[in-house]
Amino acid sequence: MINSRLFIERQISTHDKFQIVFEGIRGSNYQGDYAIDDVYVSPGSCAAATIPTTQVQTTTPSTTTSTVLKTTTLPVTTTTRVSTAMPTTTPVVTTKLTTPTLATTTPAVVTVLPSVPPGVDIYNQNFSCTFDADQCGFVNNVTNDDFDWSRKNGRTISANTGPSSDSTSATGYYMYIETSLPRNLGDNAIIESPVFQFTVPVCLSFCYHAYGGHLGELRVNISIGEPASIQQLWKHNGTVSVNKWFCIERQISTHDKFQIVFEGIRGSNYQGDYAIDNVAVSLGGCVSATVPTTQAQTTTSLPVTTKLTSTVLATTTPAVITKPTTTVLATTTPAVTTKPITTVLATTTPAVPTVPHTTPPGVVDIYNRVFVCTFEAADQCGFVNTNNDSFDWSRNTGKTTSPNTGPAKDHTSGAGHYMYIETSLPRVQNEMARIVSPTMFFPNKACLTLWYHAYGLHLGSLSVYSQRTGQQDLSSVWSIKGPSQVDAWLKMSVTVSESSPFQLVIEGVTGPSYQGDYAIDDFEIIPGSCPLESISCSFDDDICSFVQSKNDDFDWSRGSGSTGAANTGPASDHTSSTGHYLYIDTSSPRVLDHVARITSPSLQHTSGMCVAFWYHGYGTNLGRLALYAEQNGRQQIWSSDNRPSLNAWQLSMVTIDARITATKFQLTFEGKVGNGDLGNYAIDDVALRPGPCAKTYVNLPHSCSFDADLCDFVQASDDTFDWTRRRGATPSSSTGPDQDHTSGSGYYMYTEASSPQKPGYFAKLLSPSLAFSHSHGCVSFWYHAHGQHLGSLSLVLEEFAKPDKTLWSIKGATGLDWINVKQDFKAASPFNVVFSSVIGASYQGDYAVDDVSIEPGLCSVQRNNQLAPQINLEYAEEE
C-alpha cells in the first residue's frame, strides 16, 4: 500500500475496435478505495523510461504474508527540457517492494507525479475553460482597470455589437466587456488566468468576438515571473468588425510562472463589446495550420509563434510528453535498468501535440473540425491552383482591374484579400480556372459556407465540386451561371456528404467578354449538416425532412382529398386541390388532450425569419393548434386560440425574432385533441425565409393606375436603379410613351435609359405581398416599348421561399401603342409580382407599365367563380 499517485502506461497494439475497462474489486473492509484519474490514449508507442527502474521482486508465498518496503535515494543524471540542453543531477527515489504474488507478465511504466511548486495553480497539465460552469479561476483585476469582464450566455444587451451566443455550443457562456454607459472612451477591463508553470512549451488557444461600429482594443498579454514582466502576445486594434467568432493560438516557451491577461479597452461608444471563449493551454507546441494572419502583433521578448488562426483547433487530446518512469517486471524476468534518454527541445521550434486521426497521418489535413479561410495569408490556407485548367485564380485586395465587374473590396473586413478570376485578355470564352482545398474528411457530413461575388454582363459559371482522394471524377456540390448586375457579396451554404477523404474544387469559367470576374471569400466548413435558411414544403411528395416527435401521443398523418370524417378537416389540400397535406386524426382511440408533434430540420439566420403556413381548423370539437420554436426549451410563437372554426384554408405569417434565429432552432407544430371526434386540424404549404414578414393581402384583388401613388408597389433594393412615376412624355426623344394608358392625362411607371444608366443596368418594381387560397391567380397590365435600343422587360413571380419564376418577357420594341398582357400563374405561398427592366445599348430604351391588376383565379374564368370563402382579414396577421 502506497499513499501516492502512480502513473501507469500500457502499450496497445491492435487494429480492431476496443474499449478500456477499469474493474475495482472490494477487499475485506472499507479501507480499500481505489481511484483513477488523467486517462489518456495517444497514438504511437509508449515513451521509453528516463530514469533507473524500480525493481519489484516476488517471493514464494508462505503461510504468513508480509510486505517489505525499502527505500534508497540514488543520484541519477537526466536531461531536462531547457534550451541549453545541459544535463543536471537530480536525486531520484528508488523503491524495492517485496510482495507475495505478482501475475504481471507485461512490462508497465509507473511514475510518481511531480509536486506543484508553491504559488502555482496549474503545473505541467492541460487546461481548458469554456466558461460554461464558472470562470475556471479567471479573476477580474481589482486595482489596475476601470471595470470588470462579465460572464454571459445568449446575446449581449446592446444592439449591433457583441455575440449572440458562445463559440463552443451556441448554448453556453462566454466572457465579455459591456461598453454601454457608464463606460467612457479608453476605459479598460482586465481579467487574469490562474498561475501556470510548465517545463515544456505550451500552446495557448482562445476564441474571440469583435463586432461593433466603435470597437476599442482587445489585448492578450502574458505576465511572467515575480516581479511580473508583462509581454504582449496578440492584439486586436478595432479596425475590423465581423459578427462571428475567430480562434487564435499562440505558443508560449517559458519555464517561469506566468498568467494570461485579457484586457479589453472601450471605444468611442457602446458598440464596442469584445468577448472571449474556449481558452485552453495545451502541453506541446501549437499545431501548424495554414490560416490567415490578420491583426497579429507580437514582441521579440518571447519566442512566440505569430499565427492568427480562424480555425477551431483540436485541443481536446493532450500532447504526449516523456515522464520519469519506473518499470514493474514479471517474476520470470530479471530486473532491467534502462538508460536515461536525452531529449533536447529547441525554444524556436514548437513541439507538435499528437492529434487523433481515423486515417493515416498526412492523408487528411482537416479531420472533422472547423476550417475557416479568409485568404489573408499568402499561402491561401493551403488552397492551390491546379495544373489541369487554362489559367489560375488570383489573390487580390481592393478592386479588380476591369470596370463593371468583380468586387471593389473583400467580404471579411473591406480591407482584406479575396480570390478571383480575371477574365480580361488573353482569356477567351469557356476557359477554366480551378483552385483546390486541402484534403479533408467529415464522417457525418459537413456544412460548407462560401461568400461569392458575381457581377458582370458576361459571366460564365462558378461551381464547387468534391473530388475523393485517388479518384479523377468530380461530384457537383453547387453551381451558378449567367449574367448578373448585383454588385454585392452573396452567401451560399450547402451540406457536403462524402464517405471518404476528399478535396473541394472551386471552378470559375469565363464568359464571352472581360466583364465576367467571379470572386470568393470567407470559406468555412464545419462538421454536421447545414442549418436551413429557408423551407418550402407542400407535402405533395413527402414530409420534407420534418420528423415525427417521439415525445407525444400519436403522429400527424399525410392525407389527400378528404380526411374521411364528416364535418371536420379539409376536403382537399391547399396547393392544388389534388395534392397532399398533414393533419391530425382525432377519432378513436384519441382522447382529450392527446398531442401530436412534428418538427422541422435545424434552422438558422442572423437577421430573423418569417414563417408562413396555411392551416385548416374546422369542427365542433376542435382542440388546439400551436407552433413552437425549440431551442433550449420551447417558446410558443403562434396558436389557434381565439380563432373561429372555418371550413377554409387560412394563412398565418409569423416573424421570428433574430434573438432566436441567430442560433440553431427548430419549429414544431403541435396538434391537441379536443373533446370529441370533430376536431381535425391540418397544415399545408409551410414556408420559411430570412427577414421579417411583410403585410400580406389575402384573397383580395390588387390594382393600380399609379395616378394617385404607387398603391403599395415598392422599389427593389437589389437592383441598380429605380423605376420612375411620370405623367406626359418621357424626357428622351424617340423612346417611351407620350401619355399614360388610363386616361391620357394620368401617371404611369417607366425606366429612364439615359445617363447615368448603362447597358445592363436593371430596375425592379415589386407588388405588395399577396396570397390566394386556391393558389391560381391572374395578372393583367399594359406596357409600352418604343425605342431603337430597348433591352428587355420581364414579369417575374417571387414566391415565398422559392426560386424566382419568369412568367413573361419581351426584348426590343413593339411600337408606339400601349399593349395589354394577361398572364396566369400559380402560387401556393405568399408572393410578389415583379416588373424587371434591363437597359439596352443606348438612351432610346425606355419601357413603361400602367394599369396593373392582380386577382385570384385564372384569367379566362370569372373571378367570382374562383374565390374561396372570404377570410375576414385585410391582410394576414403577423404574430
Side-chain angles (χ1 to χ4, degrees):
M1 179 180 71
I2 302 175
N3 187 15
S4 177
R5 294 177 296 165
L6 302 177
F7 191 90
I8 302 294
E9 289 184 342
R10 278 290 187 277
Q11 185 160 312
I12 302 171
S13 299
T14 178
H15 299 292
D16 290 334
K17 299 177 183 177
F18 69 91
Q19 292 177 284
I20 299 165
V21 181
F22 293 92
E23 179 182 19
I25 301 176
R26 188 191 191 266
S28 58
N29 71 12
Y30 70 93
Q31 292 181 335
D33 295 351
Y34 282 104
I36 62 172
D37 197 4
D38 295 330
V39 179
Y40 303 145
V41 179
S42 305
S45 301
C46 292
T50 57
I51 64 171
T53 60
T54 297
Q55 300 176 16
V56 177
Q57 181 177 329
T58 64
T59 60
T60 303
S62 60
T63 306
T64 303
T65 302
S66 63
T67 300
V68 180
L69 178 65
K70 185 175 182 180
T71 303
T72 307
T73 301
L74 298 175
V76 177
T77 300
T78 65
T79 300
T80 59
R81 297 178 178 229
V82 296
S83 58
T84 56
M86 294 295 292
T88 59
T89 300
T90 306
V92 176
V93 177
T94 301
T95 304
K96 179 175 286 189
L97 178 66
T98 303
T99 60
T101 58
L102 184 63
T104 302
T105 58
T106 304
V109 181
V110 180
T111 302
V112 179
L113 295 179
S115 60
V116 178
V120 174
D121 300 306
I122 297 164
Y123 180 64
N124 277 346
Q125 295 183 35
N126 290 292
F127 169 84
S128 65
C129 182
T130 63
F131 301 108
D132 288 347
D134 51 35
Q135 295 184 188
C136 314
F138 277 84
V139 294
N140 280 293
N141 189 292
V142 295
T143 58
N144 298 319
D145 60 0
D146 303 299
F147 65 109
D148 286 344
W149 287 75
S150 301
R151 179 171 166 267
K152 186 166 177 53
N153 69 341
R155 181 179 293 278
T156 60
I157 61 175
S158 303
N160 301 316
T161 191
S164 57
S165 63
D166 74 320
S167 72
T168 313
S169 64
T171 60
Y173 286 78
Y174 55 89
M175 300 298 297
Y176 87 109
I177 60 167
E178 175 54 60
T179 56
S180 303
L181 289 174
R183 303 281 69 85
N184 297 310
L185 176 65
D187 283 357
N188 72 324
I190 295 174
I191 191 169
E192 299 167 331
S193 74
V195 179
F196 298 98
Q197 189 168 9
F198 298 92
T199 57
V200 295
V202 293
C203 183
L204 164 67
S205 62
F206 64 93
C207 297
Y208 77 95
H209 192 281
Y211 172 54
H214 299 277
L215 294 166
E217 287 187 4
L218 176 62
R219 299 173 182 173
V220 182
N221 300 324
I222 179 173
S223 175
I224 305 172
E226 295 177 350
S229 171
I230 305 296
Q231 303 290 344
Q232 188 174 96
L233 292 179
W234 177 84
K235 181 178 75 172
H236 186 283
N237 62 18
T239 59
V240 178
S241 168
V242 182
N243 189 14
K244 64 166 59 177
W245 287 96
F246 290 93
C247 296
I248 302 294
E249 59 174 6
R250 283 291 182 275
Q251 184 160 307
I252 301 172
S253 300
T254 178
H255 301 295
D256 290 333
K257 302 174 185 178
F258 68 89
Q259 288 178 282
I260 299 158
V261 181
F262 292 93
E263 180 180 15
I265 300 174
R266 195 218 194 231
S268 57
N269 76 8
Y270 72 93
Q271 291 182 342
D273 295 353
Y274 279 107
I276 59 171
D277 197 9
N278 204 23
V279 180
V281 181
S282 305
L283 294 164
C286 293
V287 177
S288 177
T290 53
V291 290
T293 302
T294 60
Q295 303 267 12
Q297 179 175 331
T298 62
T299 65
T300 56
S301 300
L302 288 174
V304 177
T305 301
T306 59
K307 180 166 67 249
L308 163 62
T309 73
S310 299
T311 305
V312 177
L313 299 173
T315 56
T316 56
T317 303
V320 179
I321 63 170
T322 304
K323 298 182 175 67
T325 60
T326 58
T327 304
V328 180
L329 301 174
T331 57
T332 58
T333 304
V336 177
T337 301
T338 59
K339 294 181 180 180
I341 295 178
T342 302
T343 303
V344 180
L345 295 183
T347 57
T348 56
T349 304
V352 179
T354 302
V355 180
H357 287 277
T358 59
T359 54
V363 174
V364 173
D365 303 302
I366 300 156
Y367 174 71
N368 209 37
R369 63 175 173 86
V370 176
F371 173 70
V372 178
C373 183
T374 61
F375 300 105
E376 300 305 326
D379 61 11
Q380 301 166 182
C381 316
F383 280 84
V384 293
N385 282 292
T386 65
N387 295 322
N388 60 339
D389 55 6
S390 310
F391 67 109
D392 286 345
W393 285 78
S394 302
R395 180 170 165 268
N396 193 46
T397 184
K399 187 169 177 54
T400 60
T401 58
S402 303
N404 301 317
T405 190
K409 56 187 177 181
D410 79 318
H411 171 261
T412 314
S413 65
H417 291 79
Y418 58 89
M419 302 297 296
Y420 86 108
I421 60 168
E422 176 54 63
T423 58
S424 303
L425 289 173
R427 306 278 68 83
V428 296
Q429 189 171 5
N430 292 327
E431 287 191 334
M432 175 180 62
R434 286 177 173 172
I435 190 170
V436 182
S437 75
T439 302
M440 51 188 69
F441 182 46
F442 297 86
N444 298 309
K445 300 182 180 180
C447 177
L448 168 65
T449 299
L450 182 70
W451 287 85
Y452 69 95
H453 193 281
Y455 171 51
L457 281 176
H458 299 113
L459 291 165
S461 64
L462 177 65
S463 304
V464 179
Y465 301 97
S466 64
Q467 183 177 31
R468 293 186 180 182
T469 301
Q471 297 186 11
Q472 298 298 318
D473 294 340
L474 300 178
S475 299
S476 178
V477 173
W478 173 87
S479 183
I480 59 166
K481 62 173 59 177
S484 169
Q485 287 297 305
V486 180
D487 186 7
W489 285 98
L490 303 174
K491 178 184 178 183
M492 61 77 71
S493 293
V494 63
T495 297
V496 180
S497 180
E498 288 287 359
S499 59
S500 62
F502 65 94
Q503 293 173 285
L504 290 174
V505 181
I506 303 175
E507 176 189 270
V509 177
T510 58
S513 86
Y514 71 92
Q515 292 185 346
D517 295 352
Y518 282 108
I520 59 170
D521 200 3
D522 293 331
F523 177 102
E524 179 182 64
I525 189 164
I526 64 176
S529 299
C530 295
L532 300 178
E533 292 189 344
S534 64
I535 289 177
S536 181
C537 186
S538 67
F539 303 110
D540 286 347
D541 298 321
D542 51 37
I543 62 174
C544 310
S545 299
F546 279 79
V547 177
Q548 303 276 5
S549 173
K550 296 180 180 179
N551 185 29
D552 56 5
D553 302 300
F554 66 109
D555 284 346
W556 285 77
S557 300
R558 180 170 166 263
S560 179
S562 170
T563 60
N567 301 316
T568 189
S572 62
D573 77 317
H574 167 260
T575 314
S576 63
S577 299
T578 59
H580 290 77
Y581 56 89
L582 295 184
Y583 74 102
I584 60 168
D585 184 352
T586 58
S587 59
S588 181
R590 306 281 72 85
V591 297
L592 179 66
D593 291 337
H594 270 188
V595 296
R597 301 185 180 103
I598 192 164
T599 301
S600 75
S602 292
L603 305 160
Q604 187 174 7
H605 194 271
T606 57
S607 302
M609 305 182 86
C610 175
V611 58
F613 61 96
W614 293 84
Y615 74 97
H616 193 284
Y618 173 57
T620 57
N621 305 124
L622 290 173
R624 188 172 189 264
L625 179 64
L627 178 62
Y628 295 89
E630 304 271 1
Q631 184 188 69
N632 298 325
R634 307 176 72 210
Q635 180 175 340
Q636 180 180 295
I637 59 176
W638 178 91
S639 79
S640 62
D641 296 345
N642 302 316
R643 298 171 190 265
S645 168
L646 185 64
N647 191 12
W649 286 101
Q650 303 177 71
L651 174 68
S652 273
M653 300 178 70
V654 185
T655 296
I656 308 174
D657 191 271
R659 287 172 291 184
I660 295 175
T661 67
T663 53
K664 288 184 181 180
F665 72 101
Q666 294 172 286
L667 291 176
T668 297
F669 286 94
E670 179 184 272
K672 181 177 287 189
V673 176
N675 190 19
D677 293 347
L678 304 180
N680 293 354
Y681 275 108
I683 59 173
D684 200 5
D685 294 315
V686 177
L688 179 139
R689 70 178 182 188
C693 297
K695 177 179 178 179
T696 299
Y697 295 91
V698 182
N699 287 338
L700 295 175
H702 191 82
S703 61
C704 188
S705 68
F706 303 107
D707 287 346
D709 53 32
L710 297 186
C711 318
D712 291 330
F713 277 80
V714 294
Q715 307 282 357
S717 59
D718 60 348
D719 53 8
T720 45
F721 71 109
D722 286 343
W723 285 75
T724 303
R725 179 171 168 265
R726 186 171 179 84
R727 180 169 59 181
T730 61
S732 305
S733 61
S734 303
T735 188
D738 293 327
Q739 59 188 20
D740 78 320
H741 170 263
T742 313
S743 65
S745 59
Y747 287 80
Y748 57 90
M749 300 296 294
Y750 87 107
T751 53
E752 176 56 62
S754 301
S755 180
Q757 272 41 280
K758 297 178 181 180
Y761 278 21
F762 68 106
K764 293 163 62 176
L765 184 68
L766 281 69
S767 75
S769 180
L770 305 167
F772 299 152
S773 287
H774 281 318
S775 302
H776 292 287
C778 172
V779 56
S780 172
F781 65 96
W782 294 79
Y783 76 93
H784 193 280
H786 168 53
Q788 291 187 354
H789 298 107
L790 287 160
S792 65
L793 177 65
S794 302
L795 178 69
V796 178
L797 180 70
E798 289 187 354
E799 189 175 359
F800 193 95
K802 292 183 179 180
D804 295 350
K805 181 180 181 180
T806 299
L807 301 176
W808 170 92
S809 181
I810 62 163
K811 293 183 179 181
T814 56
L816 296 172
D817 297 327
W818 286 93
I819 299 176
N820 182 233
V821 172
K822 292 181 182 294
Q823 178 66 48
D824 289 323
F825 65 90
K826 182 180 179 181
S829 297
F831 66 89
N832 302 87
V833 168
V834 182
F835 292 97
S836 178
S837 173
V838 180
I839 298 297
S842 82
Y843 73 93
Q844 293 180 339
D846 296 349
Y847 281 109
V849 297
D850 200 5
D851 294 325
V852 179
S853 176
I854 310 165
E855 299 185 0
L858 298 173
C859 297
S860 58
V861 182
Q862 290 289 328
R863 174 177 169 272
N864 289 337
N865 293 335
Q866 292 296 311
L867 275 177
Q870 181 63 48
I871 298 174
N872 189 26
L873 291 174
E874 179 188 10
Y875 57 89
E877 296 182 43
E878 296 180 35
E879 303 296 328

